[in-house]
Amino acid sequence: MKNILIYLFLSTFLFTSCEKDFEVAGKKPVYYSYEDSTVIRRLEPKTFGDLGKIVTSGNYIFIGEKNMGIHVINNIDPTAPIKEHFWQIPGNREFTVFGNMLYAENGKNLWVINIENFSKITVENIIINQYYPRFEERYPPGYSGYFECYYEKNGIFKEWKDTMLVNPLCETL
Amino acid sequence: MKQTIYVSLFIFLTIFFQNCSQEDISSSTQVGSYSTMLTIGQKLYLVNDSQIKTFDVTDSKNPVLLNTTDLGDEIESLYHYDGLLLVGSATNMYILEINDKGIPEQKSRTFYNNVEFCSNDPIVARNDIAYVTLSSVDIPVCDRPVLDELRVYDIQNIERPEFLESIDMTKPKGLGFGKKYLFVCDQQDGLVIFNIEDPKSPVLSSTFGGFSAFDVIIRNNKLIVACDNELRQYDISDEDNIQFLGAIQI
Protein backbone atom coordinates (compact mmCIF):
# COMPACT_ATOMS: atom_id res chain seq x y z
CA MET A 1 0.00 0.00 0.00
CA LYS A 2 2.86 2.32 0.90
CA ASN A 3 4.64 2.22 -2.43
CA ILE A 4 1.50 3.18 -4.35
CA LEU A 5 1.70 6.77 -3.21
CA ILE A 6 4.27 8.74 -5.11
CA TYR A 7 4.91 12.26 -4.01
CA LEU A 8 6.05 14.29 -6.93
CA PHE A 9 8.13 16.80 -5.07
CA LEU A 10 10.74 16.91 -7.79
CA SER A 11 8.28 17.61 -10.56
CA THR A 12 6.59 20.26 -8.46
CA PHE A 13 9.89 21.93 -8.04
CA LEU A 14 10.54 21.73 -11.78
CA PHE A 15 7.14 23.09 -12.74
CA THR A 16 7.25 25.96 -10.26
CA SER A 17 10.68 26.88 -11.43
CA CYS A 18 9.51 27.18 -15.06
CA GLU A 19 6.60 29.30 -13.83
CA LYS A 20 4.21 27.18 -15.85
CA ASP A 21 1.56 25.20 -14.03
CA PHE A 22 1.00 21.55 -14.76
CA GLU A 23 -2.72 20.98 -15.26
CA VAL A 24 -4.26 17.55 -15.46
CA ALA A 25 -7.60 15.82 -14.94
CA GLY A 26 -7.74 13.82 -11.71
CA LYS A 27 -9.50 13.39 -8.42
CA LYS A 28 -9.68 15.36 -5.23
CA PRO A 29 -11.00 14.50 -1.77
CA VAL A 30 -14.23 16.10 -0.61
CA TYR A 31 -14.35 16.76 3.11
CA TYR A 32 -16.91 17.14 5.86
CA SER A 33 -15.99 19.88 8.30
CA TYR A 34 -15.13 18.59 11.79
CA GLU A 35 -17.51 21.24 13.15
CA ASP A 36 -20.52 20.60 10.87
CA SER A 37 -23.39 19.40 13.09
CA THR A 38 -25.94 19.33 10.23
CA VAL A 39 -24.50 16.06 8.87
CA ILE A 40 -25.34 14.25 12.13
CA ARG A 41 -28.73 12.68 11.65
CA ARG A 42 -30.80 9.54 11.70
CA LEU A 43 -30.88 7.58 8.45
CA GLU A 44 -32.65 4.38 7.45
CA PRO A 45 -30.86 1.21 8.59
CA LYS A 46 -28.09 0.18 6.24
CA THR A 47 -25.89 -2.78 5.45
CA PHE A 48 -22.92 -3.61 7.67
CA GLY A 49 -19.60 -2.55 6.22
CA ASP A 50 -16.47 -2.10 8.27
CA LEU A 51 -17.72 -2.61 11.83
CA GLY A 52 -16.01 -1.19 14.88
CA LYS A 53 -16.81 -0.54 18.54
CA ILE A 54 -19.78 -2.06 20.34
CA VAL A 55 -21.97 -0.70 23.16
CA THR A 56 -25.19 -2.04 24.68
CA SER A 57 -27.77 -0.06 26.61
CA GLY A 58 -31.23 -1.22 27.64
CA ASN A 59 -32.55 -3.53 24.93
CA TYR A 60 -30.37 -1.99 22.26
CA ILE A 61 -27.05 -2.82 20.67
CA PHE A 62 -25.05 0.02 19.14
CA ILE A 63 -22.32 -0.96 16.74
CA GLY A 64 -20.02 1.48 15.03
CA GLU A 65 -19.44 1.61 11.29
CA LYS A 66 -15.88 2.95 11.08
CA ASN A 67 -15.79 6.63 10.08
CA MET A 68 -19.49 6.65 9.17
CA GLY A 69 -21.71 6.35 12.24
CA ILE A 70 -23.61 3.88 14.38
CA HIS A 71 -26.00 0.99 13.60
CA VAL A 72 -28.84 0.92 16.13
CA ILE A 73 -30.22 -2.57 16.74
CA ASN A 74 -33.31 -3.46 18.73
CA ASN A 75 -32.35 -6.59 20.65
CA ILE A 76 -35.49 -7.14 22.70
CA ASP A 77 -35.61 -10.60 21.12
CA PRO A 78 -31.97 -11.76 20.83
CA THR A 79 -32.99 -14.54 18.45
CA ALA A 80 -34.35 -11.93 16.03
CA PRO A 81 -32.63 -8.56 16.48
CA ILE A 82 -33.82 -5.75 14.24
CA LYS A 83 -31.77 -2.99 12.66
CA GLU A 84 -33.86 0.10 13.31
CA HIS A 85 -31.70 3.10 12.55
CA PHE A 86 -28.37 4.30 11.28
CA TRP A 87 -27.04 7.38 13.01
CA GLN A 88 -24.76 9.17 10.60
CA ILE A 89 -21.75 10.69 12.40
CA PRO A 90 -18.95 11.26 9.87
CA GLY A 91 -15.49 10.42 11.23
CA ASN A 92 -16.86 8.52 14.23
CA ARG A 93 -15.14 5.55 15.83
CA GLU A 94 -15.45 6.01 19.58
CA PHE A 95 -18.70 6.49 21.47
CA THR A 96 -20.68 5.67 24.57
CA VAL A 97 -24.26 6.09 25.75
CA PHE A 98 -25.14 7.89 29.00
CA GLY A 99 -28.86 8.09 29.70
CA ASN A 100 -30.37 10.07 26.84
CA MET A 101 -27.02 11.32 25.62
CA LEU A 102 -24.64 9.84 23.09
CA TYR A 103 -21.03 10.97 23.42
CA ALA A 104 -19.32 10.45 20.08
CA GLU A 105 -16.06 11.76 18.64
CA ASN A 106 -15.27 12.53 15.02
CA GLY A 107 -11.49 12.35 15.10
CA LYS A 108 -11.14 15.86 16.51
CA ASN A 109 -14.17 17.02 18.48
CA LEU A 110 -16.53 15.37 20.95
CA TRP A 111 -20.23 15.59 20.07
CA VAL A 112 -22.98 15.50 22.68
CA ILE A 113 -26.02 14.09 20.88
CA ASN A 114 -29.50 13.84 22.36
CA ILE A 115 -30.90 10.37 21.56
CA GLU A 116 -34.10 10.57 23.60
CA ASN A 117 -35.94 10.03 20.34
CA PHE A 118 -33.97 7.42 18.38
CA SER A 119 -35.73 8.49 15.16
CA LYS A 120 -34.73 12.12 15.51
CA ILE A 121 -31.36 12.62 17.13
CA THR A 122 -30.19 16.17 17.74
CA VAL A 123 -26.81 17.69 18.51
CA GLU A 124 -26.76 19.35 21.93
CA ASN A 125 -23.17 20.37 22.19
CA ILE A 126 -19.65 20.18 20.78
CA ILE A 127 -16.48 20.03 22.85
CA ILE A 128 -13.73 20.98 20.48
CA ASN A 129 -10.21 19.63 20.11
CA GLN A 130 -10.38 16.57 22.34
CA TYR A 131 -8.69 14.31 19.78
CA TYR A 132 -5.80 14.54 17.35
CA PRO A 133 -6.95 13.87 13.78
CA ARG A 134 -5.88 10.33 12.87
CA PHE A 135 -3.26 10.04 10.16
CA GLU A 136 -4.69 8.04 7.33
CA GLU A 137 -3.23 7.20 3.97
CA ARG A 138 -6.07 7.53 1.49
CA TYR A 139 -6.11 7.19 -2.24
CA PRO A 140 -8.93 6.77 -4.77
CA PRO A 141 -9.75 3.04 -4.94
CA GLY A 142 -9.32 1.30 -8.28
CA TYR A 143 -7.82 4.39 -9.86
CA SER A 144 -4.45 5.19 -11.32
CA GLY A 145 -3.49 8.75 -12.02
CA TYR A 146 -3.03 12.08 -10.33
CA PHE A 147 -5.01 13.18 -7.32
CA GLU A 148 -5.01 15.87 -4.68
CA CYS A 149 -3.51 14.39 -1.50
CA TYR A 150 -5.83 13.71 1.41
CA TYR A 151 -4.91 15.45 4.66
CA GLU A 152 -6.85 14.54 7.81
CA LYS A 153 -6.23 18.06 9.09
CA ASN A 154 -8.41 19.48 6.30
CA GLY A 155 -11.51 17.62 7.45
CA ILE A 156 -13.28 14.28 7.54
CA PHE A 157 -13.07 12.29 4.32
CA LYS A 158 -16.35 12.16 2.42
CA GLU A 159 -15.65 11.06 -1.17
CA TRP A 160 -13.43 11.42 -4.21
CA LYS A 161 -14.53 13.80 -6.92
CA ASP A 162 -13.35 14.22 -10.53
CA THR A 163 -11.74 17.57 -11.11
CA MET A 164 -8.98 19.48 -12.89
CA LEU A 165 -5.82 19.55 -10.82
CA VAL A 166 -3.01 22.06 -10.79
CA ASN A 167 0.42 20.75 -9.81
CA PRO A 168 -0.92 17.67 -7.96
CA LEU A 169 1.43 16.16 -5.39
CA CYS A 170 -0.05 12.65 -5.32
CA GLU A 171 -0.34 9.93 -7.90
CA THR A 172 -1.29 6.27 -7.90
CA LEU A 173 0.37 3.92 -10.37
CA MET B 1 -43.58 19.50 63.53
CA LYS B 2 -45.45 16.83 61.61
CA GLN B 3 -45.26 18.99 58.50
CA THR B 4 -41.49 19.29 58.84
CA ILE B 5 -41.20 15.53 59.03
CA TYR B 6 -43.28 15.10 55.90
CA VAL B 7 -41.25 17.74 54.10
CA SER B 8 -37.97 16.09 55.14
CA LEU B 9 -39.33 12.70 54.17
CA PHE B 10 -40.37 14.09 50.79
CA ILE B 11 -36.92 15.62 50.24
CA PHE B 12 -35.26 12.40 51.33
CA LEU B 13 -37.36 10.28 49.01
CA THR B 14 -36.84 12.66 46.11
CA ILE B 15 -33.08 12.52 46.54
CA PHE B 16 -33.21 8.78 47.11
CA PHE B 17 -35.16 8.03 43.96
CA GLN B 18 -33.19 10.52 41.91
CA ASN B 19 -29.99 8.75 42.94
CA CYS B 20 -31.53 5.43 42.08
CA SER B 21 -32.49 6.45 38.59
CA GLN B 22 -29.08 7.97 37.96
CA GLU B 23 -27.47 4.73 39.03
CA ASP B 24 -29.72 2.84 36.68
CA ILE B 25 -28.87 5.06 33.75
CA SER B 26 -25.12 4.66 34.11
CA SER B 27 -25.12 0.98 34.95
CA SER B 28 -27.40 -0.01 32.08
CA THR B 29 -24.77 0.88 29.49
CA GLN B 30 -22.04 -1.62 28.83
CA VAL B 31 -19.11 -1.17 26.47
CA GLY B 32 -16.89 -3.66 24.68
CA SER B 33 -13.28 -4.27 25.73
CA TYR B 34 -12.01 -2.13 22.84
CA SER B 35 -13.88 0.87 24.16
CA THR B 36 -11.97 4.09 24.78
CA MET B 37 -14.87 5.94 26.38
CA LEU B 38 -16.93 5.06 29.45
CA THR B 39 -18.97 6.61 32.23
CA ILE B 40 -18.70 5.82 35.93
CA GLY B 41 -21.29 7.55 38.11
CA GLN B 42 -21.35 11.17 36.96
CA LYS B 43 -17.96 11.08 35.25
CA LEU B 44 -17.05 10.44 31.64
CA TYR B 45 -13.57 9.06 31.02
CA LEU B 46 -12.00 8.90 27.60
CA VAL B 47 -8.60 8.22 26.13
CA ASN B 48 -7.34 9.71 22.90
CA ASP B 49 -4.07 8.70 21.26
CA SER B 50 -1.95 9.79 24.23
CA GLN B 51 -4.08 11.18 27.07
CA ILE B 52 -6.82 10.31 29.52
CA LYS B 53 -9.51 12.92 30.11
CA THR B 54 -12.11 13.24 32.86
CA PHE B 55 -15.40 15.08 32.36
CA ASP B 56 -18.12 15.84 34.87
CA VAL B 57 -21.44 14.84 33.27
CA THR B 58 -23.80 15.75 36.11
CA ASP B 59 -25.43 17.91 33.46
CA SER B 60 -25.26 15.29 30.73
CA LYS B 61 -25.81 17.85 27.95
CA ASN B 62 -22.85 19.90 29.08
CA PRO B 63 -19.84 17.76 29.98
CA VAL B 64 -17.22 19.80 31.83
CA LEU B 65 -13.58 18.86 31.33
CA LEU B 66 -12.02 18.39 34.78
CA ASN B 67 -8.67 16.88 34.00
CA THR B 68 -6.29 15.82 31.22
CA THR B 69 -3.38 13.51 32.02
CA ASP B 70 -0.66 12.57 29.53
CA LEU B 71 0.05 8.86 29.40
CA GLY B 72 1.92 7.67 26.33
CA ASP B 73 1.47 6.95 22.64
CA GLU B 74 -0.74 4.54 20.72
CA ILE B 75 -3.45 4.16 23.35
CA GLU B 76 -6.25 1.84 22.31
CA SER B 77 -8.45 0.73 25.18
CA LEU B 78 -9.95 1.74 28.51
CA TYR B 79 -11.41 -0.64 31.10
CA HIS B 80 -12.97 -0.02 34.51
CA TYR B 81 -12.28 -2.44 37.33
CA ASP B 82 -13.01 -1.78 41.00
CA GLY B 83 -12.03 1.90 41.17
CA LEU B 84 -9.19 1.39 38.74
CA LEU B 85 -8.86 2.33 35.09
CA LEU B 86 -6.78 -0.01 32.98
CA VAL B 87 -5.49 1.58 29.81
CA GLY B 88 -4.03 -0.49 26.99
CA SER B 89 -1.59 0.94 24.48
CA ALA B 90 0.32 -0.82 21.72
CA THR B 91 3.22 -1.35 24.08
CA ASN B 92 2.09 -0.84 27.67
CA MET B 93 -0.58 -1.52 30.26
CA TYR B 94 -1.27 1.51 32.45
CA ILE B 95 -3.02 1.18 35.81
CA LEU B 96 -4.68 4.30 37.19
CA GLU B 97 -6.54 4.69 40.44
CA ILE B 98 -9.55 6.99 40.57
CA ASN B 99 -9.06 9.39 43.49
CA ASP B 100 -11.82 10.83 45.74
CA LYS B 101 -12.36 13.69 43.28
CA GLY B 102 -12.92 11.21 40.46
CA ILE B 103 -9.60 11.95 38.75
CA PRO B 104 -7.46 8.98 37.66
CA GLU B 105 -3.87 8.90 38.92
CA GLN B 106 -1.27 6.71 37.26
CA LYS B 107 0.05 3.97 39.54
CA SER B 108 2.06 1.87 37.14
CA ARG B 109 3.06 1.28 33.55
CA THR B 110 3.90 -2.24 32.47
CA PHE B 111 5.90 -2.62 29.27
CA TYR B 112 4.91 -5.59 27.12
CA ASN B 113 8.40 -5.87 25.67
CA ASN B 114 6.99 -6.08 22.17
CA VAL B 115 7.42 -4.40 18.79
CA GLU B 116 5.98 -0.91 18.78
CA PHE B 117 3.00 -0.08 16.53
CA CYS B 118 2.52 -3.70 15.63
CA SER B 119 -0.11 -4.83 18.09
CA ASN B 120 -3.26 -3.84 19.89
CA ASP B 121 -4.25 -4.93 23.27
CA PRO B 122 -7.52 -4.64 25.14
CA ILE B 123 -7.47 -5.53 28.85
CA VAL B 124 -10.07 -6.96 31.23
CA ALA B 125 -9.66 -7.69 34.95
CA ARG B 126 -11.34 -9.60 37.75
CA ASN B 127 -10.25 -10.91 41.17
CA ASP B 128 -6.96 -8.97 40.97
CA ILE B 129 -6.00 -10.68 37.72
CA ALA B 130 -5.73 -8.80 34.42
CA TYR B 131 -6.02 -10.51 31.05
CA VAL B 132 -4.52 -8.80 28.02
CA THR B 133 -4.56 -9.82 24.38
CA LEU B 134 -1.72 -8.83 22.12
CA SER B 135 -2.29 -9.26 18.42
CA SER B 136 -0.26 -8.40 15.39
CA VAL B 137 -1.37 -5.74 12.93
CA ASP B 138 -1.33 -6.37 9.20
CA ILE B 139 0.71 -3.46 7.97
CA PRO B 140 3.91 -3.75 5.95
CA VAL B 141 6.08 -2.22 8.71
CA CYS B 142 5.10 -5.14 10.93
CA ASP B 143 6.64 -7.84 8.79
CA ARG B 144 8.79 -9.05 11.68
CA PRO B 145 7.43 -11.84 13.82
CA VAL B 146 5.10 -10.29 16.36
CA LEU B 147 3.17 -11.46 19.34
CA ASP B 148 -0.25 -13.07 19.20
CA GLU B 149 -1.07 -14.12 22.69
CA LEU B 150 -3.19 -13.89 25.81
CA ARG B 151 -1.27 -12.56 28.80
CA VAL B 152 -2.08 -12.92 32.46
CA TYR B 153 -0.95 -10.42 35.10
CA ASP B 154 -1.45 -10.37 38.86
CA ILE B 155 -2.46 -6.78 39.64
CA GLN B 156 -3.09 -7.12 43.37
CA ASN B 157 -0.24 -4.67 43.84
CA ILE B 158 -1.29 -2.02 41.34
CA GLU B 159 2.09 -0.36 41.52
CA ARG B 160 3.85 -3.56 40.56
CA PRO B 161 1.84 -5.86 38.32
CA GLU B 162 3.37 -9.28 38.08
CA PHE B 163 3.51 -11.20 34.80
CA LEU B 164 2.16 -14.71 35.33
CA GLU B 165 1.99 -16.38 31.95
CA SER B 166 1.23 -16.06 28.27
CA ILE B 167 -0.78 -18.35 26.04
CA ASP B 168 -0.23 -18.45 22.28
CA MET B 169 -3.24 -17.59 20.16
CA THR B 170 -3.80 -16.99 16.45
CA LYS B 171 -5.04 -13.40 16.38
CA PRO B 172 -6.71 -12.51 19.68
CA LYS B 173 -8.90 -9.39 19.94
CA GLY B 174 -11.55 -8.28 22.46
CA LEU B 175 -12.41 -10.31 25.55
CA GLY B 176 -14.94 -10.57 28.36
CA PHE B 177 -15.94 -12.56 31.46
CA GLY B 178 -18.62 -15.17 31.90
CA LYS B 179 -18.90 -16.91 35.27
CA LYS B 180 -16.19 -19.51 35.10
CA TYR B 181 -15.03 -18.78 31.59
CA LEU B 182 -13.10 -16.04 29.84
CA PHE B 183 -14.34 -15.44 26.29
CA VAL B 184 -11.68 -14.25 23.86
CA CYS B 185 -12.43 -13.11 20.32
CA ASP B 186 -9.98 -14.23 17.69
CA GLN B 187 -9.90 -12.78 14.21
CA GLN B 188 -9.12 -16.18 12.73
CA ASP B 189 -10.38 -18.75 15.21
CA GLY B 190 -13.68 -17.16 16.26
CA LEU B 191 -14.68 -17.32 19.91
CA VAL B 192 -12.06 -19.01 22.09
CA ILE B 193 -13.18 -20.03 25.58
CA PHE B 194 -10.84 -20.41 28.56
CA ASN B 195 -11.72 -21.89 31.93
CA ILE B 196 -10.57 -19.44 34.62
CA GLU B 197 -11.73 -21.27 37.74
CA ASP B 198 -8.09 -20.93 38.65
CA PRO B 199 -7.88 -17.25 37.65
CA LYS B 200 -4.09 -17.29 37.45
CA SER B 201 -3.88 -20.00 34.83
CA PRO B 202 -6.54 -20.04 32.12
CA VAL B 203 -7.11 -23.41 30.48
CA LEU B 204 -8.38 -23.66 26.91
CA SER B 205 -11.83 -25.19 27.06
CA SER B 206 -13.45 -24.91 23.64
CA THR B 207 -13.68 -22.85 20.46
CA PHE B 208 -16.60 -21.68 18.35
CA GLY B 209 -15.06 -21.24 14.92
CA GLY B 210 -16.01 -20.28 11.40
CA PHE B 211 -16.10 -16.52 11.81
CA SER B 212 -13.79 -13.61 12.49
CA ALA B 213 -14.51 -12.20 15.96
CA PHE B 214 -13.51 -8.70 17.04
CA ASP B 215 -15.11 -7.81 20.37
CA VAL B 216 -17.57 -9.16 22.92
CA ILE B 217 -20.12 -7.90 25.44
CA ILE B 218 -21.61 -10.20 28.06
CA ARG B 219 -24.76 -9.22 29.93
CA ASN B 220 -27.82 -10.95 31.33
CA ASN B 221 -26.43 -14.35 30.35
CA LYS B 222 -26.22 -13.25 26.73
CA LEU B 223 -23.00 -13.03 24.82
CA ILE B 224 -22.85 -10.58 21.93
CA VAL B 225 -19.93 -10.96 19.51
CA ALA B 226 -19.09 -8.19 17.10
CA CYS B 227 -17.46 -9.66 14.02
CA ASP B 228 -15.98 -8.00 10.94
CA ASN B 229 -19.35 -7.81 9.24
CA GLU B 230 -21.88 -9.56 11.43
CA LEU B 231 -23.20 -9.64 14.96
CA ARG B 232 -23.62 -13.02 16.68
CA GLN B 233 -25.42 -13.84 19.92
CA TYR B 234 -25.20 -16.74 22.31
CA ASP B 235 -27.13 -17.76 25.41
CA ILE B 236 -24.59 -18.57 28.13
CA SER B 237 -27.02 -19.20 31.04
CA ASP B 238 -25.46 -22.65 31.16
CA GLU B 239 -21.84 -22.01 30.34
CA ASP B 240 -21.17 -25.66 29.68
CA ASN B 241 -23.96 -25.78 27.13
CA ILE B 242 -23.72 -22.57 25.15
CA GLN B 243 -26.57 -21.98 22.70
CA PHE B 244 -26.19 -20.02 19.48
CA LEU B 245 -29.14 -17.64 19.24
CA GLY B 246 -28.57 -16.10 15.85
CA ALA B 247 -26.68 -13.54 13.82
CA ILE B 248 -27.32 -10.38 11.93
CA GLN B 249 -25.42 -10.36 8.70
CA ILE B 250 -25.12 -7.63 6.10
Side-chain angles (χ1 to χ4, degrees), chain A residues 28-40:
Chain A
K28 71 168 188 181
V30 180
Y31 298 91
Y32 291 109
S33 152
Y34 283 107
E35 283 74 38
D36 185 359
S37 64
T38 62
V39 295
I40 296 175

PDB file of all heavy atoms in Angstrom, chain A residues 28-40:
ATOM      1  N   LYS A  28     -10.044  14.689  -6.484  1.00  0.00           N
ATOM      2  CA  LYS A  28      -9.682  15.361  -5.231  1.00  0.00           C
ATOM      3  C   LYS A  28     -10.632  14.915  -4.114  1.00  0.00           C
ATOM      4  O   LYS A  28     -11.787  14.561  -4.373  1.00  0.00           O
ATOM      5  CB  LYS A  28      -9.714  16.881  -5.397  1.00  0.00           C
ATOM      6  CG  LYS A  28     -11.094  17.468  -5.546  1.00  0.00           C
ATOM      7  CD  LYS A  28     -11.020  18.987  -5.410  1.00  0.00           C
ATOM      8  CE  LYS A  28     -12.413  19.590  -5.350  1.00  0.00           C
ATOM      9  NZ  LYS A  28     -12.379  21.048  -5.238  1.00  0.00           N
ATOM     10  N   PRO A  29     -10.139  14.902  -2.881  1.00  0.00           N
ATOM     11  CA  PRO A  29     -11.004  14.496  -1.770  1.00  0.00           C
ATOM     12  C   PRO A  29     -12.009  15.590  -1.415  1.00  0.00           C
ATOM     13  O   PRO A  29     -11.684  16.771  -1.470  1.00  0.00           O
ATOM     14  CB  PRO A  29     -10.027  14.281  -0.607  1.00  0.00           C
ATOM     15  CG  PRO A  29      -8.814  15.062  -0.953  1.00  0.00           C
ATOM     16  CD  PRO A  29      -8.775  15.237  -2.439  1.00  0.00           C
ATOM     17  N   VAL A  30     -13.227  15.166  -1.128  1.00  0.00           N
ATOM     18  CA  VAL A  30     -14.235  16.099  -0.614  1.00  0.00           C
ATOM     19  C   VAL A  30     -14.320  15.835   0.889  1.00  0.00           C
ATOM     20  O   VAL A  30     -14.305  14.681   1.323  1.00  0.00           O
ATOM     21  CB  VAL A  30     -15.601  15.855  -1.280  1.00  0.00           C
ATOM     22  CG1 VAL A  30     -16.651  16.828  -0.745  1.00  0.00           C
ATOM     23  CG2 VAL A  30     -15.478  15.959  -2.791  1.00  0.00           C
ATOM     24  N   TYR A  31     -14.381  16.887   1.657  1.00  0.00           N
ATOM     25  CA  TYR A  31     -14.349  16.760   3.111  1.00  0.00           C
ATOM     26  C   TYR A  31     -15.662  17.190   3.769  1.00  0.00           C
ATOM     27  O   TYR A  31     -16.362  18.062   3.270  1.00  0.00           O
ATOM     28  CB  TYR A  31     -13.259  17.660   3.704  1.00  0.00           C
ATOM     29  CG  TYR A  31     -11.854  17.333   3.279  1.00  0.00           C
ATOM     30  CD1 TYR A  31     -11.280  17.945   2.158  1.00  0.00           C
ATOM     31  CD2 TYR A  31     -11.092  16.440   4.009  1.00  0.00           C
ATOM     32  CE1 TYR A  31      -9.974  17.664   1.781  1.00  0.00           C
ATOM     33  CE2 TYR A  31      -9.786  16.153   3.638  1.00  0.00           C
ATOM     34  CZ  TYR A  31      -9.226  16.767   2.525  1.00  0.00           C
ATOM     35  OH  TYR A  31      -7.945  16.487   2.163  1.00  0.00           O
ATOM     36  N   TYR A  32     -15.946  16.568   4.925  1.00  0.00           N
ATOM     37  CA  TYR A  32     -16.906  17.138   5.862  1.00  0.00           C
ATOM     38  C   TYR A  32     -16.090  18.007   6.825  1.00  0.00           C
ATOM     39  O   TYR A  32     -14.976  17.622   7.193  1.00  0.00           O
ATOM     40  CB  TYR A  32     -17.550  16.054   6.741  1.00  0.00           C
ATOM     41  CG  TYR A  32     -18.477  15.080   6.079  1.00  0.00           C
ATOM     42  CD1 TYR A  32     -18.105  13.752   5.899  1.00  0.00           C
ATOM     43  CD2 TYR A  32     -19.765  15.463   5.694  1.00  0.00           C
ATOM     44  CE1 TYR A  32     -18.976  12.824   5.336  1.00  0.00           C
ATOM     45  CE2 TYR A  32     -20.646  14.539   5.135  1.00  0.00           C
ATOM     46  CZ  TYR A  32     -20.239  13.227   4.963  1.00  0.00           C
ATOM     47  OH  TYR A  32     -21.098  12.311   4.424  1.00  0.00           O
ATOM     48  N   SER A  33     -16.660  19.087   7.274  1.00  0.00           N
ATOM     49  CA  SER A  33     -15.986  19.879   8.300  1.00  0.00           C
ATOM     50  C   SER A  33     -16.121  19.153   9.631  1.00  0.00           C
ATOM     51  O   SER A  33     -17.151  18.549   9.920  1.00  0.00           O
ATOM     52  CB  SER A  33     -16.625  21.264   8.386  1.00  0.00           C
ATOM     53  OG  SER A  33     -16.481  21.781   9.685  1.00  0.00           O
ATOM     54  N   TYR A  34     -15.084  19.211  10.463  1.00  0.00           N
ATOM     55  CA  TYR A  34     -15.134  18.594  11.792  1.00  0.00           C
ATOM     56  C   TYR A  34     -16.182  19.267  12.687  1.00  0.00           C
ATOM     57  O   TYR A  34     -16.555  18.734  13.717  1.00  0.00           O
ATOM     58  CB  TYR A  34     -13.770  18.697  12.486  1.00  0.00           C
ATOM     59  CG  TYR A  34     -12.738  17.722  11.987  1.00  0.00           C
ATOM     60  CD1 TYR A  34     -11.669  18.153  11.195  1.00  0.00           C
ATOM     61  CD2 TYR A  34     -12.807  16.372  12.316  1.00  0.00           C
ATOM     62  CE1 TYR A  34     -10.703  17.261  10.754  1.00  0.00           C
ATOM     63  CE2 TYR A  34     -11.853  15.477  11.875  1.00  0.00           C
ATOM     64  CZ  TYR A  34     -10.794  15.925  11.094  1.00  0.00           C
ATOM     65  OH  TYR A  34      -9.843  15.037  10.654  1.00  0.00           O
ATOM     66  N   GLU A  35     -16.580  20.481  12.293  1.00  0.00           N
ATOM     67  CA  GLU A  35     -17.508  21.235  13.146  1.00  0.00           C
ATOM     68  C   GLU A  35     -18.937  21.252  12.615  1.00  0.00           C
ATOM     69  O   GLU A  35     -19.810  21.913  13.176  1.00  0.00           O
ATOM     70  CB  GLU A  35     -17.008  22.687  13.300  1.00  0.00           C
ATOM     71  CG  GLU A  35     -15.844  22.832  14.268  1.00  0.00           C
ATOM     72  CD  GLU A  35     -14.525  22.327  13.697  1.00  0.00           C
ATOM     73  OE1 GLU A  35     -14.287  22.535  12.481  1.00  0.00           O
ATOM     74  OE2 GLU A  35     -13.741  21.699  14.435  1.00  0.00           O
ATOM     75  N   ASP A  36     -19.196  20.544  11.492  1.00  0.00           N
ATOM     76  CA  ASP A  36     -20.523  20.599  10.874  1.00  0.00           C
ATOM     77  C   ASP A  36     -21.507  19.659  11.583  1.00  0.00           C
ATOM     78  O   ASP A  36     -21.430  18.436  11.425  1.00  0.00           O
ATOM     79  CB  ASP A  36     -20.404  20.220   9.395  1.00  0.00           C
ATOM     80  CG  ASP A  36     -21.727  20.374   8.662  1.00  0.00           C
ATOM     81  OD1 ASP A  36     -22.727  20.747   9.311  1.00  0.00           O
ATOM     82  OD2 ASP A  36     -21.747  20.112   7.443  1.00  0.00           O
ATOM     83  N   SER A  37     -22.435  20.227  12.351  1.00  0.00           N
ATOM     84  CA  SER A  37     -23.388  19.397  13.089  1.00  0.00           C
ATOM     85  C   SER A  37     -24.570  18.966  12.223  1.00  0.00           C
ATOM     86  O   SER A  37     -25.295  18.033  12.579  1.00  0.00           O
ATOM     87  CB  SER A  37     -23.907  20.157  14.309  1.00  0.00           C
ATOM     88  OG  SER A  37     -24.626  21.293  13.888  1.00  0.00           O
ATOM     89  N   THR A  38     -24.753  19.619  11.056  1.00  0.00           N
ATOM     90  CA  THR A  38     -25.937  19.328  10.231  1.00  0.00           C
ATOM     91  C   THR A  38     -25.868  17.931   9.591  1.00  0.00           C
ATOM     92  O   THR A  38     -26.885  17.384   9.196  1.00  0.00           O
ATOM     93  CB  THR A  38     -26.117  20.374   9.114  1.00  0.00           C
ATOM     94  OG1 THR A  38     -24.984  20.314   8.250  1.00  0.00           O
ATOM     95  CG2 THR A  38     -26.250  21.768   9.682  1.00  0.00           C
ATOM     96  N   VAL A  39     -24.638  17.375   9.503  1.00  0.00           N
ATOM     97  CA  VAL A  39     -24.504  16.056   8.875  1.00  0.00           C
ATOM     98  C   VAL A  39     -24.861  14.936   9.843  1.00  0.00           C
ATOM     99  O   VAL A  39     -24.986  13.778   9.445  1.00  0.00           O
ATOM    100  CB  VAL A  39     -23.077  15.834   8.337  1.00  0.00           C
ATOM    101  CG1 VAL A  39     -22.788  16.813   7.212  1.00  0.00           C
ATOM    102  CG2 VAL A  39     -22.034  15.958   9.439  1.00  0.00           C
ATOM    103  N   ILE A  40     -25.011  15.272  11.129  1.00  0.00           N
ATOM    104  CA  ILE A  40     -25.338  14.249  12.125  1.00  0.00           C
ATOM    105  C   ILE A  40     -26.843  14.064  12.151  1.00  0.00           C
ATOM    106  O   ILE A  40     -27.594  14.965  12.538  1.00  0.00           O
ATOM    107  CB  ILE A  40     -24.800  14.654  13.508  1.00  0.00           C
ATOM    108  CG1 ILE A  40     -23.272  14.706  13.434  1.00  0.00           C
ATOM    109  CG2 ILE A  40     -25.278  13.694  14.593  1.00  0.00           C
ATOM    110  CD1 ILE A  40     -22.607  15.193  14.673  1.00  0.00           C
TER     111      ILE A  40
END
